[in-house]
């Protein structure tokens, strides 16, 4: 049996996703299980996996949109048997056994027991599907490791194969540990790790990229050519066979209909022939009776003697009887005509009743109501049997059966409607409770974020106030230093001006002495200040 949980618990300790392994808080599933596109992708992956592994039963993407609990248990047992062939799903407490097995395997998220009661519900199926997809990925890793003999290698081979197996095992375990650590930190894609792992494998096995690309291109071209040839060779014959099949089915239906019509026509003709035979036999008996009566009357007429008065009386009685016969014959013709009209109307009514009865029996067989042993009959006899003579009892029986059937149908529909309403209400209540719990968790997180933001804001305000005080002190220090520099600059400027004036006076005196020396003035004459300055300037220039 595969033990995934203990294998990765040590490497994932202390990370972002280790709450289910050692912490008390429930870890939130980072997968977008409420995204319809992601759910459809998981369903397609699961359907392909089941088809690839030979799932014993018909399974499609449509049936996996909202499976029943029985179907889910079959899928779970099938996938888990790929890991542990001796496993058998228990018959009781399945809602506790499935989450326990997932927890033992190391499933990092909690699967509630209540989700096992309504697996196909819209609010529970995504979480259950996520657990099944995780189990499917785990089985894929297990099968891959079993195929490559990563855990139990054959050490009877050469040293080169052992070294290659150890190197591959090391690469694979390093890649698995690195990606799992990233997964525990919150990552969902590992493109960089996949590319690095693929590059290391290529270096390990000296893969020729050019040869591999050429072989892939050649395989793609050959696959396209095979698919094209298969389509060209099979499409036309398949369509012809399908067309012939449809035509033959249509002809078969027509022949069956024609045969049923012939059988009904034959039955009608046999009934008419039997009626005519009976009428012919009755007419023959009546002719024999009339012949006997005629012979008896002739015998009486030939043996007895009549007087003219008797003859006249007989003739008069004969005329009276003839008139009576004529009137009775007319009455008989009218009665026969009326009887014929009534028989025609009765035959039409019988035909209409037989058509309706046939439709009723056909519909009842589709609904599995007849015979008495049918699935939906529940021991009741819903078949209406015809008798040669329709009477009041037959009509009463038909009405009773129809009323019972309508009553049972109404009761079943009402029970189904109430059951559906109950299930929908339970699902709505469970959805509302789930939404309330999610919103409560979100509200708790928002309050925690607001508290942290308030603490951060207060800390920032204190830092800003401290910075403002610091900058104010620095500004005062700079202002004091500026004033001191201005004062020093003013004093330096005044001293420089006085030094400049003294230098100018000294330069003026030197220039005058030099001028006097040049012009041989033994004694310094008296010049006004303006003249001295003018002379000094001349000397300088």
């Amino acid at each position: 049996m595969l033990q995934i949980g203990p294998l990765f618990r040590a490497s994932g300790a202390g990370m972002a996703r280790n709450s289910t392994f050692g912490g008390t808080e429930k870890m939130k599933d980072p997968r977008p299980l409420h995204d319809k596109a992601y759910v459809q992708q998981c369903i397609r992956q699961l359907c392909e996996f089941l088809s690839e592994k030979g799932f014993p039963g018909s399974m499609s993407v449509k049936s996996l949109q909202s499976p029943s609990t029985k179907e889910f248990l079959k899928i779970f047992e099938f996938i888990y048997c790929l890991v542990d062939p001796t496993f058998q799903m228990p018959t009781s407490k399945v809602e506790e056994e499935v989450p326990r097995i997932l927890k033992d395997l190391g499933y990092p998220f909690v699967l509630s027991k209540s989700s096992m009661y309504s697996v196909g519900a819209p609010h529970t199926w995504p979480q259950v599907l996520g657990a099944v997809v995780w189990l499917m990925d785990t089985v894929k890793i297990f099968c891959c490791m079993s195929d490559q003999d990563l855990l139990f290698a054959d050490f009877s081979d050469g040293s080169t194969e052992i070294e290659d197996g150890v190197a591959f095992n090391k690469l694979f375990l390093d890649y698995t540990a690195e990606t799992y650590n990233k997964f525990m930190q919150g990552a969902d894609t590992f493109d960089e790790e996949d590319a690095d792992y693929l590059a290391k494998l290529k270096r390990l096995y000296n893969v020729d990229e050019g040869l591999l690309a050429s072989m892939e291109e050649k395989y793609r071209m050959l696959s396209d050519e095979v698919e094209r040839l298969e389509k060209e060779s099979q499409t036309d014959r398949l369509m012809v066979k399908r067309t012939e099949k449809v035509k033959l089915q249509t002809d078969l239906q027509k022949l069956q209909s024609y045969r049923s019509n012939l059988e009904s026509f034959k039955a009608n003709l046999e009934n008419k022939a039997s009626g005519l035979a009976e009428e012919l036999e009755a007419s023959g008996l009546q002719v024999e009776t009339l012949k006997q009566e005629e012979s008896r009357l002739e015998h009486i007429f030939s043996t007895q003697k009549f007087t003219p008065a008797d003859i006249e009386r007989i003739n008069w009685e004969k005329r009276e009887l003839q008139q009576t016969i004529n009137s009775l014959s007319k009455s008989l013709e009218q009665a026969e005509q009326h009887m014929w009209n009534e028989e025609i109307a009765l035959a039409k009514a019988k035909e209409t009743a037989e058509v309706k009865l046939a439709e009723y029996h056909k519909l009842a067989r589709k609904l599995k109501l007849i015979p008495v042993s049918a699935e939906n009959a529940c021991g009741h006899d819903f078949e209406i049997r015809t008798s040669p003579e329709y009477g009041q009892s037959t009509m009463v029986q038909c009405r009773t059966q129809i009323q019972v059937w309508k009553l049972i149908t109404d009761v079943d529909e009402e029970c189904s409607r109430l059951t559906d309403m109950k299930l929908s209400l339970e699902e709505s209540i469970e959805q509302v409770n789930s939404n309330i719990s999610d919103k409560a968790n979100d509200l708790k997180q928002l309050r925690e974020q607001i508290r942290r933001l308030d603490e951060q804001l207060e800390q920032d305000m204190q830092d800003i106030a401290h910075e403002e005080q610091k900058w104010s002190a620095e500004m005062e220090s700079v202002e004091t230093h500026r004033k001191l520099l201005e004062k020093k600059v003013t004093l330096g400027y005044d001293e420089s001006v006085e030094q400049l004036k003294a230098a100018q006076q000294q330069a003026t005196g030197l220039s005058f002495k030099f001028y006097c020396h040049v012009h041989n003035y033994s004694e310094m004459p008296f010049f006004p200040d303006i003249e001295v300055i003018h002379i000094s300037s001349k000397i300088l220039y």
Side-chain angles (χ1 to χ4, degrees):
M1 181 173 153
L2 181 62
Q3 297 292 334
I4 298 297
L7 179 63
F8 295 108
R9 286 180 187 175
S11 63
M15 296 185 180
R17 299 194 184 192
N18 64 345
S19 60
T20 57
F21 297 98
T24 57
E25 297 182 358
K26 293 183 179 180
M27 184 173 63
K28 189 175 182 180
D29 197 339
R31 296 173 294 181
L33 295 177
H34 295 287
D35 187 4
K36 293 183 178 179
Y38 181 77
V39 172
Q40 294 300 320
Q41 180 183 358
C42 293
I43 290 175
R44 287 193 294 271
Q45 292 178 358
L46 179 60
C47 187
E48 292 175 359
F49 177 79
L50 294 175
S51 300
E52 180 182 354
K53 297 298 181 181
F55 180 73
S58 60
M59 190 60 60
S60 62
V61 176
K62 184 177 180 181
S63 62
L64 289 175
Q65 298 294 330
S66 179
S68 62
T69 304
K70 186 176 180 181
E71 294 175 347
F72 164 73
L73 293 177
K74 287 183 179 179
I75 295 172
F76 183 85
E77 183 178 5
F78 174 76
I79 297 175
Y80 193 77
C81 285
L82 297 176
V83 179
D84 186 7
T86 62
F87 173 75
Q88 290 184 355
M89 183 63 69
T91 57
S92 62
K93 295 185 178 180
V94 179
E95 64 278 0
E96 297 179 359
E97 188 68 18
V98 172
R100 185 191 63 77
I101 293 173
L102 291 173
K103 184 178 180 182
D104 292 341
L105 288 176
Y107 184 59
F109 312 110
V110 178
L111 191 64
S112 62
K113 297 180 181 178
S114 60
S115 61
M116 295 291 102
Y117 293 104
S118 57
V119 174
H123 61 281
T124 57
W125 173 234
Q127 283 75 18
V128 178
L129 178 62
V132 175
V133 170
W134 181 88
L135 180 61
M136 178 186 70
D137 295 336
T138 304
V139 171
K140 287 182 179 178
I141 295 173
F142 174 73
C143 294
C144 180
M145 294 174 69
S146 300
D147 294 338
Q148 298 293 335
D149 293 330
L150 296 178
L151 298 179
F152 303 98
D154 188 3
F155 290 97
S156 63
D157 297 336
S159 60
T160 304
E161 295 182 359
I162 294 175
E163 291 176 359
D164 291 344
V166 171
F168 177 77
N169 291 346
K170 185 176 182 301
L171 283 178
F172 181 74
L173 291 177
D174 292 342
Y175 165 74
T176 305
E178 184 178 359
T179 53
Y180 191 77
N181 289 333
K182 292 290 184 66
F183 173 76
M184 296 299 293
Q185 292 174 359
D188 289 322
T189 57
F190 313 99
D191 297 335
E192 296 180 358
E193 289 77 5
D194 294 341
D196 189 15
Y197 177 63
L198 185 60
K200 290 180 180 179
L201 286 178
K202 289 179 179 178
R203 287 197 300 270
L204 177 63
Y205 293 104
N206 297 323
V207 177
D208 189 356
E209 294 287 344
L211 179 61
L212 185 62
S214 63
M215 294 297 290
E216 289 180 354
E217 182 66 21
K218 185 177 180 181
Y219 174 74
R220 185 183 62 78
M221 293 174 62
L222 290 175
S223 299
D224 295 339
E225 184 67 20
V226 169
E227 185 177 359
R228 185 181 63 81
L229 293 174
E230 288 179 353
K231 287 183 179 179
E232 289 180 356
S233 62
Q234 294 182 3
T235 303
D236 295 336
R237 290 191 298 167
L238 182 61
M239 293 300 295
V240 170
K241 294 298 181 182
R242 287 179 178 175
T243 306
E244 291 180 357
K245 180 182 178 182
V246 171
K247 290 181 179 180
L248 291 175
Q249 289 178 351
T250 305
D251 295 339
L252 179 61
Q253 292 178 357
K254 291 181 180 180
L255 287 174
Q256 290 177 353
S257 177
Y258 181 68
R259 178 184 176 185
S260 61
N261 293 331
L262 286 178
E263 289 178 353
S264 61
F265 183 70
K266 179 181 177 182
N268 292 330
L269 289 179
E270 289 178 352
N271 293 331
K272 290 181 180 180
S274 61
L276 291 175
E278 292 177 355
E279 291 179 359
L280 182 61
E281 185 178 358
S283 299
L285 293 175
Q286 188 176 2
V287 168
E288 291 293 333
T289 304
L290 290 175
K291 286 182 178 179
Q292 292 177 2
E293 183 68 20
E294 182 181 6
S295 61
R296 186 180 66 79
L297 291 174
E298 287 178 354
H299 177 70
I300 292 172
F301 180 74
S302 59
T303 54
Q304 71 178 0
K305 294 179 179 180
F306 298 99
T307 61
D310 294 332
I311 294 172
E312 186 178 357
R313 181 176 56 79
I314 290 171
N315 290 332
W316 180 78
E317 289 178 358
K318 181 180 178 181
R319 286 193 297 270
E320 290 291 333
L321 290 172
Q322 188 65 38
Q323 292 178 357
T324 304
I325 290 171
N326 292 334
S327 62
L328 291 176
S329 298
K330 291 181 180 179
S331 299
L332 180 61
E333 290 177 358
Q334 292 177 358
E336 289 179 351
Q337 184 65 30
H338 182 68
M339 183 179 68
W340 176 253
N341 294 332
E342 291 295 331
E343 287 180 353
I344 291 174
L346 180 60
K348 291 181 179 180
K350 286 182 178 180
E351 290 178 358
T352 305
E354 289 176 356
V355 172
K356 296 292 183 181
L357 188 60
E359 293 178 355
Y360 166 75
H361 286 165
K362 184 178 180 181
L363 181 60
R365 289 188 181 91
K366 288 183 179 180
L367 297 175
K368 299 180 180 180
L369 294 175
I370 57 174
V372 181
S373 60
E375 180 179 354
N376 299 326
C378 299
H380 298 285
D381 187 9
F382 292 101
E383 185 176 2
I384 300 176
R385 298 176 180 82
T386 58
S387 59
E389 296 181 358
Y390 289 93
Q392 188 67 24
S393 60
T394 305
M395 296 301 295
V396 171
Q397 180 186 2
C398 295
R399 290 193 185 98
T400 304
Q401 290 180 349
I402 292 172
Q403 289 176 359
V404 170
W405 178 73
K406 287 183 178 180
L407 181 60
I408 293 174
T409 304
D410 294 339
V411 171
D412 291 339
E413 290 178 355
E414 186 67 20
C415 291
S416 177
R417 185 181 65 81
L418 292 175
T419 304
D420 294 338
M421 185 181 297
K422 179 183 176 182
L423 292 175
S424 62
L425 289 175
E426 289 178 353
E427 292 179 357
S428 301
I429 291 171
E430 191 169 355
Q431 181 69 27
V432 169
N433 292 332
S434 177
N435 292 334
I436 290 172
S437 61
D438 292 339
K439 295 299 181 182
N441 293 331
D442 295 339
L443 181 61
K444 184 178 179 181
Q445 293 178 359
L446 290 174
R447 286 178 178 174
E448 183 65 22
Q449 291 178 1
I450 291 170
R451 184 184 63 79
R452 292 177 181 174
L453 291 174
D454 290 340
E455 293 177 355
Q456 186 67 29
L457 179 61
E458 185 177 356
Q459 184 65 31
D460 293 341
M461 293 296 291
Q462 292 177 0
D463 294 341
I464 291 170
H466 182 68
E467 291 290 333
E468 288 180 354
Q469 292 177 0
K470 183 178 178 182
W471 284 108
S472 298
E474 290 182 0
M475 287 295 293
E476 291 177 358
S477 176
V478 169
E479 186 67 24
T480 305
H481 185 64
R482 185 183 64 81
K483 290 179 180 180
L484 182 60
L485 288 176
E486 287 180 354
K487 185 177 180 181
K488 288 182 179 181
V489 167
T490 304
L491 293 175
Y493 177 74
D494 294 339
E495 291 177 358
S496 299
V497 171
E498 291 177 357
Q499 290 176 3
L500 179 61
K501 289 181 179 180
Q504 287 178 354
Q505 290 177 1
Q506 185 178 2
T508 303
L510 292 174
S511 299
F512 182 72
K513 288 179 180 181
F514 178 74
Y515 180 78
C516 291
H517 177 72
V518 171
H519 291 83
N520 295 319
Y521 290 112
S522 60
E523 293 181 0
M524 184 180 296
F526 176 77
F527 293 104
D529 294 337
I530 298 174
E531 188 67 20
V532 172
I533 293 170
H534 181 66
I535 293 170
S536 299
S537 62
K538 284 183 178 181
I539 293 171
L540 290 172
Y541 286 103

